[in-house]
Amino acid sequence: MKKIKLSMTVQIIIGMLGGMLLGICFGDKVKDIKLIGDIFLRLIQMSVVVMVMGAVIESVANLDPKDLGRFGVKMLFWFLLTTVIAAVIGGALGQLLLPGKGLTLPVSDQVVQVSDKGIYSMILDFLPSNIVESMASSNMIQVIVFSVLFGTSLGAYRIRKENSQLIGVIKEFNEVILGIVRRVMKLAPLGIGALLAYTAGATGIKVIMPLVKFLLVFGIGSLLYMVGMIAFVSFYCRTHPVNVTRKLFNMTMVAFTTTSSAVTLPTQMEDSEKKLGVSKKISGIVIPLAMTLNSNGLSMFLALSCITISQIYGIPLSGPQLVRIIVLSTLSCLGTVTVPGGGLVALATVVPALGLPLESIAFLFSIDWFSGMFRTVLNVDTDVFIAMIIAKDENELDYKILNGSQ
């Protein structure tokens, strides 16, 4: 009898459905299964910092220094444009569909820490004072800043000496780290299933019912954004939208179920290269940078959340206030936390800045995992879209892979 071999995508879907069914059927009795999911997350996260550092250093070091500035301007342009568009969609749907109108929610006793950092501190926090400390605390933006500078210096040394053994060492190091990640990813169906079983069992349907309208509006916004981006990227890169959608499916499922861009990063980089045809040189720079600088899902979430909160409390918003929401939602996405729960940290910065009631943040705490699913999908998939666009511009897009059947 021929043994049936299931793809990783199919295994993850089976794990998702099985986990949700287990949680719904047995409720709080399966809460201890979260240990399996947490072990999976830890095993992935343990390699992310060094993986990002190695990928960025290798990619930047192999670039011509003259091209680095032009390359950076392109990335920042697409990061900013897509983030603003996401915030505008979130704000527009909030005004149109009124997710907070008529909503009354009990005040949660959840304590939310508010960031009191000003612009000065935010800018300073982009720069590491101790790279070892930045790595230990998983401060990705600081790690990336160091890696770009290291890669730039290594690239200049390579050109000056016409050779560098260190680049070869870093390349081999990156391959070993990717080998670790690939082995850990074999546990994804079990780990993801355990996390969803815990979430479904511990949260339950009763908790999310009061905010189901918010989730529906956020889901509609996410779908509209994704359809628009897939259509644009498919046209720009001269491929079929169905082809792009099919090849995004695996990373989208990982992002949707883990709610973490950092955990999804290894799958995201591998699929962008092996399924979508983005060269390693492009994916090694664009995707790690986009993970911290291009949070489209978070931008939409922040804009929609602020408008929903204003509707709950009956606070009218003028045109300038709506513009301020869009601007703050965009700027607050720079260097954001890339793990589950990071959205509430950003929300705790934006809400007081807009003069909205601080306790309102607790209202969204009970559904943070569910809203995090939409946020992470938008964050992850848009990062890949931008990598494809830039790869197309730089003649680094392999059409045999992109239009292939894999």
Side-chain angles (χ1 to χ4, degrees):
M1 184 176 178
K2 190 177 180 180
K3 188 177 179 181
I4 299 174
K5 187 177 180 180
L6 300 176
S7 68
M8 180 56 67
T9 302
V10 173
Q11 292 179 46
I12 289 173
I13 293 173
I14 293 172
M16 284 173 54
L17 296 175
M20 290 175 67
L21 187 62
L22 190 66
I24 292 169
C25 292
F26 294 96
D28 202 43
K29 294 178 182 178
V30 297
K31 64 180 181 180
D32 292 337
I33 202 173
K34 184 173 184 283
L35 176 63
I36 298 173
D38 286 339
I39 289 172
F40 167 69
L41 292 180
R42 287 287 183 94
L43 289 172
I44 288 290
Q45 287 173 315
M46 73 177 180
S47 302
V48 166
V49 172
V50 288
M51 178 184 168
V52 169
M53 177 175 277
V56 172
I57 289 173
E58 182 185 348
S59 298
V60 173
N62 285 316
L63 275 178
D64 188 323
K66 295 177 181 178
D67 295 333
L68 188 59
R70 175 178 54 83
F71 194 76
V73 170
K74 280 186 181 180
M75 281 193 294
L76 291 176
F77 168 77
W78 286 110
F79 291 169
L80 184 61
L81 179 63
T82 54
T83 305
V84 170
I85 291 172
V88 169
I89 291 175
L93 287 178
Q95 288 290 90
L96 181 65
L97 301 180
L98 306 174
K101 189 175 181 180
L103 190 62
T104 56
L105 298 172
V107 178
S108 168
D109 58 0
Q110 175 69 28
V111 177
V112 180
Q113 296 294 325
V114 181
S115 172
D116 58 355
K117 292 181 179 180
I119 297 295
Y120 177 88
S121 297
M122 286 178 64
I123 294 173
L124 204 59
D125 282 349
F126 276 66
L127 306 173
S129 59
N130 184 329
I131 187 58
V132 176
E133 181 183 346
S134 301
M135 293 175 68
S137 60
S138 297
N139 190 322
M140 298 306 299
I141 191 72
Q142 293 184 359
V143 169
I144 288 174
V145 167
F146 174 84
S147 302
V148 169
L149 293 174
F150 190 102
T152 304
S153 180
L154 181 58
Y157 177 85
R158 171 182 61 83
I159 293 172
R160 189 169 66 252
K161 296 292 184 179
E162 297 183 355
N163 191 19
S164 171
Q165 293 182 343
L166 183 56
I167 292 180
V169 171
I170 291 172
K171 184 176 181 179
E172 290 183 11
F173 175 81
N174 291 342
E175 288 296 327
V176 173
I177 293 298
L178 280 174
I180 294 174
V181 171
R182 289 189 188 105
R183 285 172 171 80
V184 173
M185 278 305 297
K186 292 180 180 178
L187 300 173
L190 184 61
I192 288 170
L195 289 170
L196 285 182
Y198 167 79
T199 303
T203 305
I205 194 68
K206 292 181 180 178
V207 179
I208 68 168
M209 282 308 293
L211 286 168
V212 71
K213 188 176 181 182
F214 173 87
L215 287 174
L216 284 173
V217 174
F218 194 17
I220 291 169
S222 301
L223 181 61
L224 288 174
Y225 185 85
M226 285 294 295
V227 169
M229 284 299 298
I230 289 173
F232 173 74
V233 170
S234 300
F235 172 78
Y236 194 85
C237 296
R238 302 197 306 273
T239 188
H240 199 283
V242 174
N243 184 44
V244 175
T245 304
R246 178 173 58 84
K247 295 190 174 188
L248 285 171
F249 192 78
N250 190 47
M251 72 179 80
T252 301
M253 286 295 101
V254 175
F256 189 75
T257 50
T258 63
T259 71
S260 172
S261 298
V263 171
T264 312
L265 181 66
T267 304
Q268 185 184 7
M269 291 185 69
E270 185 170 18
D271 285 2
S272 67
E273 294 168 15
K274 295 185 177 180
K275 293 183 179 181
L276 293 163
V278 178
S279 72
K280 189 173 182 180
K281 182 174 79 172
I282 300 297
S283 70
I285 300 176
V286 175
I287 293 177
L289 280 172
M291 185 177 68
T292 54
L293 295 175
N294 187 55
S295 299
N296 308 101
L298 179 57
S299 178
M300 184 182 294
F301 169 77
L302 291 175
L304 181 60
S305 296
C306 291
I307 290 174
T308 300
I309 290 167
S310 71
Q311 291 167 358
I312 291 172
Y313 287 96
I315 301 172
L317 296 172
S318 63
Q321 286 173 316
L322 290 172
V323 171
R324 192 164 182 236
I325 287 175
I326 301 301
V327 172
L328 282 174
S329 297
T330 301
L331 295 178
S332 297
C333 294
L334 297 175
T336 52
V337 181
T338 53
V339 295
L344 289 179
V345 176
L347 192 61
T349 303
V350 174
V351 165
L354 292 167
L356 296 172
L358 187 58
E359 61 270 19
S360 60
I361 300 170
F363 290 161
L364 297 170
F365 179 80
S366 61
I367 60 163
D368 184 61
W369 181 274
F370 299 97
S371 58
M373 291 175 170
F374 296 118
R375 289 198 304 265
T376 311
V377 168
L378 262 61
N379 291 346
V380 166
D381 288 359
T382 307
D383 294 349
V384 174
F385 293 149
I386 292 174
M388 290 175 66
I389 290 169
I390 293 177
K392 163 71 167 52
D393 290 344
E394 300 291 321
N395 294 319
E396 294 283 346
L397 191 63
D398 190 328
Y399 281 95
K400 289 182 179 179
I401 296 176
L402 176 61
N403 294 319
S405 59
Q406 186 177 357

